[in-house]
Short mmCIF file of all heavy atoms in Angstrom, two decimals:
data_model
loop_
_atom_site.label_atom_id
_atom_site.label_comp_id
_atom_site.label_asym_id
_atom_site.label_seq_id
_atom_site.Cartn_x
_atom_site.Cartn_y
_atom_site.Cartn_z
N GLN A 204 16.93 2.57 19.60
CA GLN A 204 17.19 3.26 20.87
C GLN A 204 16.30 4.51 21.05
O GLN A 204 16.08 5.24 20.09
CB GLN A 204 18.64 3.69 20.99
CG GLN A 204 19.60 2.54 21.09
CD GLN A 204 21.02 2.97 21.16
OE1 GLN A 204 21.41 3.93 20.50
NE2 GLN A 204 21.83 2.27 21.94
N LEU A 205 15.88 4.69 22.31
CA LEU A 205 15.28 5.97 22.72
C LEU A 205 16.45 6.93 22.92
O LEU A 205 17.48 6.57 23.48
CB LEU A 205 14.51 5.80 24.02
CG LEU A 205 13.97 7.06 24.64
CD1 LEU A 205 12.88 7.69 23.76
CD2 LEU A 205 13.44 6.79 26.03
N VAL A 206 16.27 8.15 22.47
CA VAL A 206 17.31 9.16 22.60
C VAL A 206 16.72 10.41 23.26
O VAL A 206 15.68 10.89 22.82
CB VAL A 206 17.93 9.54 21.25
CG1 VAL A 206 19.09 10.49 21.42
CG2 VAL A 206 18.41 8.27 20.54
N LEU A 207 17.38 10.92 24.27
CA LEU A 207 16.97 12.14 24.95
C LEU A 207 18.07 13.17 24.71
O LEU A 207 19.19 13.02 25.15
CB LEU A 207 16.79 11.85 26.45
CG LEU A 207 15.86 10.70 26.78
CD1 LEU A 207 15.94 10.40 28.28
CD2 LEU A 207 14.46 10.99 26.37
N TYR A 208 17.72 14.26 23.98
CA TYR A 208 18.73 15.23 23.58
C TYR A 208 18.82 16.37 24.57
O TYR A 208 17.84 17.01 24.89
CB TYR A 208 18.35 15.80 22.20
CG TYR A 208 18.37 14.77 21.12
CD1 TYR A 208 17.23 14.04 20.81
CD2 TYR A 208 19.52 14.52 20.41
CE1 TYR A 208 17.24 13.07 19.84
CE2 TYR A 208 19.54 13.55 19.39
CZ TYR A 208 18.40 12.82 19.13
OH TYR A 208 18.43 11.86 18.17
N TYR A 209 20.05 16.61 25.07
CA TYR A 209 20.26 17.78 25.92
C TYR A 209 21.03 18.86 25.18
O TYR A 209 21.25 19.95 25.72
CB TYR A 209 20.89 17.42 27.26
CG TYR A 209 22.21 16.68 27.26
CD1 TYR A 209 23.40 17.42 27.33
CD2 TYR A 209 22.24 15.32 27.21
CE1 TYR A 209 24.62 16.73 27.33
CE2 TYR A 209 23.45 14.64 27.24
CZ TYR A 209 24.64 15.35 27.31
OH TYR A 209 25.85 14.69 27.33
N ARG A 210 21.48 18.60 23.97
CA ARG A 210 22.11 19.60 23.10
C ARG A 210 21.54 19.40 21.70
O ARG A 210 21.10 18.31 21.34
CB ARG A 210 23.62 19.43 23.06
CG ARG A 210 24.29 19.80 24.35
CD ARG A 210 25.79 19.99 24.16
NE ARG A 210 26.39 20.54 25.36
CZ ARG A 210 26.78 19.86 26.39
NH1 ARG A 210 26.65 18.53 26.41
NH2 ARG A 210 27.33 20.42 27.43
N ASP A 211 21.57 20.47 20.90
CA ASP A 211 21.19 20.35 19.48
C ASP A 211 22.21 19.48 18.81
O ASP A 211 23.40 19.50 19.14
CB ASP A 211 21.19 21.71 18.80
CG ASP A 211 20.12 22.68 19.30
OD1 ASP A 211 19.29 22.27 20.13
OD2 ASP A 211 20.12 23.82 18.85
N VAL A 212 21.75 18.68 17.83
CA VAL A 212 22.67 17.86 17.03
C VAL A 212 22.32 18.03 15.55
O VAL A 212 21.22 18.36 15.21
CB VAL A 212 22.63 16.35 17.44
CG1 VAL A 212 23.05 16.18 18.87
CG2 VAL A 212 21.27 15.77 17.21
N PRO A 213 23.29 17.80 14.68
CA PRO A 213 23.02 17.96 13.26
C PRO A 213 22.11 16.85 12.72
O PRO A 213 21.95 15.81 13.33
CB PRO A 213 24.40 17.88 12.61
CG PRO A 213 25.35 17.40 13.67
CD PRO A 213 24.66 17.49 14.98
N TYR A 214 21.59 17.10 11.56
CA TYR A 214 20.75 16.14 10.87
C TYR A 214 21.47 14.79 10.72
O TYR A 214 22.66 14.76 10.44
CB TYR A 214 20.38 16.66 9.49
CG TYR A 214 19.63 15.65 8.65
CD1 TYR A 214 18.24 15.59 8.71
CD2 TYR A 214 20.29 14.75 7.83
CE1 TYR A 214 17.54 14.65 7.98
CE2 TYR A 214 19.61 13.80 7.10
CZ TYR A 214 18.23 13.75 7.20
OH TYR A 214 17.54 12.81 6.47
N ALA A 215 20.72 13.72 10.92
CA ALA A 215 21.24 12.37 10.67
C ALA A 215 20.10 11.49 10.21
O ALA A 215 18.96 11.63 10.71
CB ALA A 215 21.89 11.78 11.92
N ASP A 216 20.37 10.66 9.23
CA ASP A 216 19.38 9.67 8.83
C ASP A 216 19.07 8.72 9.97
O ASP A 216 19.93 8.44 10.80
CB ASP A 216 19.92 8.84 7.63
CG ASP A 216 19.97 9.62 6.35
OD1 ASP A 216 19.32 10.68 6.24
OD2 ASP A 216 20.70 9.17 5.39
N GLY A 217 17.85 8.25 10.06
CA GLY A 217 17.47 7.25 11.04
C GLY A 217 16.86 7.81 12.30
O GLY A 217 16.35 7.06 13.12
N ILE A 218 16.93 9.13 12.49
CA ILE A 218 16.37 9.74 13.71
C ILE A 218 14.90 10.09 13.44
O ILE A 218 14.59 10.72 12.41
CB ILE A 218 17.13 11.02 14.10
CG1 ILE A 218 18.58 10.70 14.44
CG2 ILE A 218 16.43 11.71 15.28
CD1 ILE A 218 19.44 11.91 14.66
N VAL A 219 14.05 9.69 14.35
CA VAL A 219 12.62 10.04 14.29
C VAL A 219 12.32 10.80 15.57
O VAL A 219 12.53 10.28 16.67
CB VAL A 219 11.74 8.79 14.20
CG1 VAL A 219 10.26 9.18 14.16
CG2 VAL A 219 12.11 7.95 12.97
N ILE A 220 11.84 12.04 15.45
CA ILE A 220 11.50 12.84 16.61
C ILE A 220 10.15 12.30 17.16
O ILE A 220 9.17 12.19 16.43
CB ILE A 220 11.37 14.33 16.29
CG1 ILE A 220 12.68 14.88 15.70
CG2 ILE A 220 10.93 15.16 17.52
CD1 ILE A 220 13.87 14.74 16.62
N LEU A 221 10.15 11.98 18.47
CA LEU A 221 8.95 11.45 19.14
C LEU A 221 8.18 12.55 19.88
O LEU A 221 6.99 12.42 20.05
CB LEU A 221 9.35 10.37 20.13
CG LEU A 221 10.08 9.15 19.59
CD1 LEU A 221 10.48 8.25 20.72
CD2 LEU A 221 9.22 8.43 18.54
N GLY A 222 8.89 13.56 20.38
CA GLY A 222 8.23 14.58 21.18
C GLY A 222 9.29 15.57 21.69
O GLY A 222 10.42 15.62 21.20
N HIS A 223 8.85 16.35 22.72
CA HIS A 223 9.71 17.41 23.24
C HIS A 223 9.36 17.68 24.71
O HIS A 223 8.19 17.51 25.11
CB HIS A 223 9.52 18.69 22.41
CG HIS A 223 10.59 19.70 22.62
ND1 HIS A 223 11.81 19.63 21.99
CD2 HIS A 223 10.64 20.79 23.41
CE1 HIS A 223 12.55 20.69 22.37
NE2 HIS A 223 11.87 21.40 23.24
N LEU A 224 10.34 18.13 25.43
CA LEU A 224 10.10 18.55 26.82
C LEU A 224 9.18 19.76 26.83
O LEU A 224 9.25 20.61 25.94
CB LEU A 224 11.41 18.92 27.52
CG LEU A 224 12.43 17.78 27.66
CD1 LEU A 224 13.69 18.29 28.32
CD2 LEU A 224 11.86 16.62 28.43
N ALA A 225 8.32 19.85 27.85
CA ALA A 225 7.40 20.96 27.93
C ALA A 225 8.12 22.27 28.23
O ALA A 225 7.69 23.34 27.81
CB ALA A 225 6.33 20.69 29.00
N ASP A 226 9.20 22.22 28.99
CA ASP A 226 9.96 23.40 29.38
C ASP A 226 11.41 23.19 29.01
O ASP A 226 12.09 22.32 29.61
CB ASP A 226 9.79 23.62 30.87
CG ASP A 226 10.36 24.94 31.35
OD1 ASP A 226 11.20 25.55 30.63
OD2 ASP A 226 9.98 25.39 32.44
N ASP A 227 11.94 23.96 28.08
CA ASP A 227 13.32 23.82 27.64
C ASP A 227 14.33 24.05 28.77
O ASP A 227 15.47 23.60 28.67
CB ASP A 227 13.62 24.76 26.48
CG ASP A 227 12.95 24.29 25.18
OD1 ASP A 227 12.72 23.10 25.06
OD2 ASP A 227 12.69 25.16 24.31
#
């Protein structure tokens, strides 16, 4: 799954960061 984070979340195995919004 693609995941779009709108809150910080704790570390979890299996998550790969793909990128980030230009403006928080």
Side-chain angles (χ1 to χ4, degrees):
Q204 293 178 323
L205 174 66
V206 184
L207 307 172
Y208 297 90
Y209 57 93
R210 290 197 171 84
D211 293 355
V212 298
Y214 174 89
D216 287 343
I218 298 171
V219 179
I220 302 300
L221 302 175
H223 195 82
L224 298 178
D226 188 341
D227 287 333

